């Protein structure tokens, strides 16, 4: 079982997937409700062992948000939170699943033992549907490498990170 360590107004539990469509058709997901507390309300998971960055440095996480442009902070901490590194990615869609990618670059292995997740940092939650978020399938791409894309682009090679960047209101 997953043990969520909620803090400062965050409340997280595993529930049946309320929207099993698109990129996430799994049966169960984590529901995170921000209900009062602090503007940094969130949750964290403690890992069984410290992260090893010798083969990769990228995390992916599927998220569902009721609104677009919601910042989702993904933070790695050591046991006493005295050492940490954090990245923020914003949601690009509302009311559907998407996968966010967090590339932590060159990090020292053997330090980080916690994953901290904070939705909509800086805004106090009110417990409503607009403060309810879902996440699933946190993946540390350890051991996997991706190749540089070459022409022609076919989207058939699973070892290539196609990582398309949207702009000007487009969604890919």
């Amino acid at each position: 079982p997953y043990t969520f360590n909620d803090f400062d107004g965050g409340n997280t539990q595993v529930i049946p997937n309320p929207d099993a469509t698109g990129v996430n058709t799994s049966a169960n997901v984590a529901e995170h409700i921000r209900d009062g507390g602090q503007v940094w309300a969130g949750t964290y998971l403690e890992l069984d062992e410290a992260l090893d960055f010798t083969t990769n440095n990228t995390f992916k996480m599927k998220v569902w948000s009721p609104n677009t442009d919601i910042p989702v902070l993904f933070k790695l901490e050591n046991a006493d939170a005295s050492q940490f590194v954090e990245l923020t990615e914003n949601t690009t869609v509302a009311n559907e699943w998407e996968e966010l990618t967090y590339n932590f670059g060159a990090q020292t292995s053997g330090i980080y033992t916690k994953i901290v997740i904070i939705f909509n940092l800086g805004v106090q939650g009110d417990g409503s549907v607009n403060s309810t978020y879902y996440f699933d399938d946190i993946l540390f791409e350890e051991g996997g490498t991706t190749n540089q894309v070459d022409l022609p682009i076919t989207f058939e090679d699973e070892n290539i990170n196609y990582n398309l960047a949207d702009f000007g209101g487009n969604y890919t």
Side-chain angles (χ1 to χ4, degrees):
Y2 297 99
T3 302
F4 295 103
N5 300 282
D6 298 323
F7 56 90
D8 297 325
N11 183 15
T12 309
Q13 63 182 341
V14 176
I15 66 163
N17 188 345
D19 185 15
T21 61
V23 299
N24 192 8
T25 58
S26 65
N28 297 305
V29 300
E31 174 188 62
H32 181 73
I33 300 173
R34 299 181 74 235
D35 191 7
Q38 300 294 334
V39 297
W40 58 79
T43 193
Y44 70 89
L45 293 162
E46 293 193 54
L47 305 173
D48 291 336
E49 57 188 54
L51 293 167
D52 180 358
F53 287 94
T54 58
T55 58
N56 211 323
N57 56 10
T58 301
F59 283 86
K60 291 187 177 188
M61 178 173 66
K62 293 177 184 170
V63 300
W64 189 102
S65 170
N67 296 295
T68 61
D69 206 32
I70 297 296
V72 183
L73 181 123
F74 195 98
K75 182 178 183 180
L76 306 176
E77 292 181 346
N78 68 339
D80 67 2
S82 63
Q83 293 180 318
F84 62 89
V85 60
E86 59 189 36
L87 294 173
T88 300
E89 293 292 329
N90 286 13
T91 62
T92 62
V93 296
N95 300 313
E96 65 183 84
W97 287 99
E98 68 180 310
E99 187 172 64
L100 300 181
T101 301
Y102 301 87
N103 185 326
F104 283 93
Q107 297 297 321
T108 303
S109 294
I111 295 175
Y112 306 112
T113 58
K114 294 179 188 174
I115 295 174
V116 181
I117 299 168
I118 301 174
F119 286 90
N120 213 7
L121 178 62
V123 176
Q124 187 172 31
D126 61 9
S128 72
V129 294
N130 284 324
S131 294
T132 301
Y133 306 93
Y134 303 95
F135 63 95
D136 197 16
D137 298 334
I138 299 172
L139 173 66
F140 182 47
E141 294 188 318
E142 187 175 31
T145 58
T146 56
N147 300 322
Q148 179 66 31
V149 65
D150 289 321
L151 296 177
I153 298 172
T154 64
F155 300 105
E156 300 297 325
D157 189 337
E158 64 187 40
N159 292 319
I160 293 178
N161 179 1
Y162 293 99
N163 198 15
L164 303 171
D166 298 321
F167 62 92
N170 292 312
Y171 175 73
T172 306

